[in-house]
Amino acid sequence: MAADEPRAGAPQTVPPRRPFGRIDSVQLPKPPMWLQFVLSFGIAAILIVLLVRWVDTRGPNAQSIARVTNPKAIAAENQIARTLARQEQAPHLVPILASQTPRSAARAAVLAFQENQIAHDLNSAEGPIRSAYCNSAGGSPSRLVFQCDVITGGADEPVRWPFDAVATPASRTVAYCPVVYSAIAGIYVPVSPRCR
């Protein structure tokens, strides 16, 4: 009997099977601990930088951020803001009624303007109107200058709407202009000379 042949009645040994897909790998020596830290933190830093760059270029506000940093876009937005402020500050001319003084005519004019703004939901004007007044701001007897305010909103959050007005007693007219502050910081548009 040959040495390689199993004996009769003896259990046969079968070599262990490898699980499907498993490949025996060669064991490499572990790198030193400091190298493990450097590699893991280096990979994490690279992933964070890539994520930040991806969000900056493809995020929801990428185009609006690009417009803010573009000098030509900033100049165009500033020009639009100045144009809108000029249009909103355009002078309005109303007659002084026989029963009115120049001050009461200016007050009635700005009050009517603000009531119209609230009634038509313009310029974020909210009611109710709490008060309206006009104070003398100089001028001459032939050209009376007033600074007027209309106060709207609730008691907890009043909103002041300023106006400049000029009454001309000889022509029995009041010219008034809403004073508009631009939403863009640093943009100032002076009120029309007819109202100052």
Side-chain angles (χ1 to χ4, degrees):
M1 190 187 249
D4 290 346
E5 292 180 19
R7 284 188 289 157
Q12 294 182 357
T13 56
V14 179
R17 291 187 179 180
R18 284 187 273 157
F20 180 73
R22 183 174 170 200
I23 300 174
D24 288 337
S25 61
V26 177
Q27 284 284 47
L28 295 175
K30 272 188 160 181
M33 188 61 78
W34 67 269
L35 185 58
Q36 291 178 21
F37 279 115
V38 168
L39 288 174
S40 60
F41 285 117
I43 291 170
I46 289 170
L47 290 174
I48 289 172
V49 167
L50 290 174
L51 177 67
V52 167
R53 292 195 64 197
W54 183 82
V55 169
D56 279 347
T57 58
R58 290 171 187 83
N61 296 328
Q63 290 179 346
S64 62
I65 291 170
R67 272 186 275 144
V68 171
T69 58
N70 181 344
K72 289 182 181 179
I74 292 172
E77 286 180 7
N78 289 349
Q79 184 58 39
I80 290 170
R82 285 186 190 94
T83 302
L84 288 173
R86 277 191 209 98
Q87 289 173 354
E88 290 179 4
Q89 291 183 158
H92 302 269
L93 194 63
V94 295
I96 299 175
L97 302 177
S99 61
Q100 293 176 318
T101 64
R103 182 189 307 251
S104 65
R107 181 186 177 280
V110 299
L111 188 58
F113 176 87
Q114 197 61 38
E115 286 172 346
N116 183 56
Q117 296 288 90
I118 291 170
H120 293 95
D121 197 24
L122 302 172
N123 292 334
S124 304
E126 296 181 10
I129 292 178
R130 295 176 57 202
S131 64
Y133 55 89
C134 291
N135 294 321
S136 178
S140 64
S142 62
R143 190 174 185 276
L144 306 170
V145 180
F146 300 102
Q147 288 182 334
C148 305
D149 287 312
V150 177
I151 309 298
T152 65
D156 55 336
E157 289 189 38
V159 179
R160 177 180 161 263
W161 300 90
F163 294 85
D164 285 346
V166 171
T168 310
S171 63
R172 304 284 302 161
T173 57
V174 171
Y176 69 92
C177 298
V179 177
V180 177
Y181 300 102
S182 175
I184 298 175
I187 301 295
Y188 171 72
V189 178
V191 175
S192 167
R194 290 180 64 186
C195 299
R196 292 187 276 139

